[in-house]
Amino acid sequence: MRIFPVLLVCLALATCSSHLLLPQVTTPAQPGLRDLSSVQLIAVSASNDSQAPTERAALLTGLLRDGLSLRGYREGSPVQLRAYYWLGLRREPVELSTDLPPPGLLGPYQSVHRLQEEHATLHLRLTDLQDQVLWEGQVDTGLSPAWDSDEQLHKASNALLQQVPMAR
C-alpha cells in the first residue's frame, strides 16, 4: 500500500517538470527590423541568480548566439541591432505535508532541509541603435531539478528564438 502514494508523488513531479513552453511575443516585429541582420548581444544582469552568474550567463549567451545565427542574424560590425537578454528567476518553497512522512529515499533529508523549486522567465529584446524596440518576447520555464536546468534553459531559448523573425 505504501507504493501507491510514492507513485502519485512521482506522477505529480513528472507532470510539474514537463510543462509546455509557451513563448509570448510582447512586441511584434516592427518594419525597421526587416533589413537588419548584424547583431550585438548584451546581457542584462540578474542579481537573484543562484548559480554562479558567469556559468549561466555564458550558457545563455552561447544558446542565443547560436539560435540567432540560425535565424540569419550574425555578430559583427557594423552593428545594426542590439539584442538585450535577461533571466528573471523566482524561487518557491516545496511544501511537504507534516502529517505524513516525506516520500522517497530523501525522507530524512527533506524533513530537515528546505527545498526550493526554481522558475525563470527568459526575456529577449531586439532594438535598433537608438534603442527603439523592434521585437520583444519572453518565455517561462522551470529550472528544477538543478541537474536538468541547463537542458530546460536550452529548450526555453529554442522556443523563444522560434518566434524571432528570420533575417534577410
Side-chain angles (χ1 to χ4, degrees):
M1 280 314 263
R2 290 201 81 153
I3 191 102
F4 185 73
V6 171
L7 287 175
L8 278 177
V9 168
C10 290
L11 181 62
L13 289 174
T15 303
C16 292
S17 66
S18 62
H19 70 283
L20 291 176
L21 296 173
L22 301 172
Q24 299 173 340
V25 175
T26 54
T27 303
Q30 302 300 307
L33 181 62
R34 191 170 305 143
D35 298 321
L36 306 177
S37 64
S38 180
V39 68
Q40 174 188 15
L41 288 169
I42 301 172
V44 179
S45 65
S47 60
N48 60 347
D49 199 339
S50 65
Q51 244 187 6
T54 54
E55 278 180 38
R56 193 170 275 162
L59 172 67
L60 194 52
T61 301
L63 291 172
L64 292 174
R65 180 179 292 124
D66 294 346
L68 285 171
S69 71
L70 290 174
R71 307 292 294 167
Y73 298 92
R74 58 175 168 62
E75 275 191 292
S77 41
V79 173
Q80 299 171 318
L81 289 170
R82 292 187 180 122
Y84 295 98
Y85 61 95
W86 65 96
L87 197 62
L89 297 174
R90 301 175 306 284
R91 290 179 190 84
E92 299 171 1
V94 175
E95 298 294 331
L96 297 172
S97 172
T98 56
D99 296 338
L100 299 171
L105 300 174
L106 294 176
Y109 181 86
Q110 288 177 345
S111 64
V112 173
H113 295 83
R114 298 283 181 217
L115 301 178
Q116 293 190 349
E117 201 162 16
E118 195 171 46
H119 302 277
T121 302
L122 173 60
H123 300 268
L124 178 63
R125 178 182 296 154
L126 300 178
T127 70
D128 60 13
L129 298 180
Q130 291 76 35
D131 283 332
Q132 268 190 317
V133 177
L134 300 176
W135 184 91
E136 186 171 3
Q138 65 186 36
V139 64
D140 292 327
T141 186
L143 295 178
S144 297
W147 56 266
D148 195 35
S149 67
D150 290 354
E151 181 62 29
Q152 292 181 52
L153 193 57
H154 182 78
K155 289 178 184 176
S157 67
N158 282 342
L160 182 58
L161 288 166
Q162 291 299 314
Q163 304 302 312
V164 175
M166 294 290 288
R168 289 187 186 198

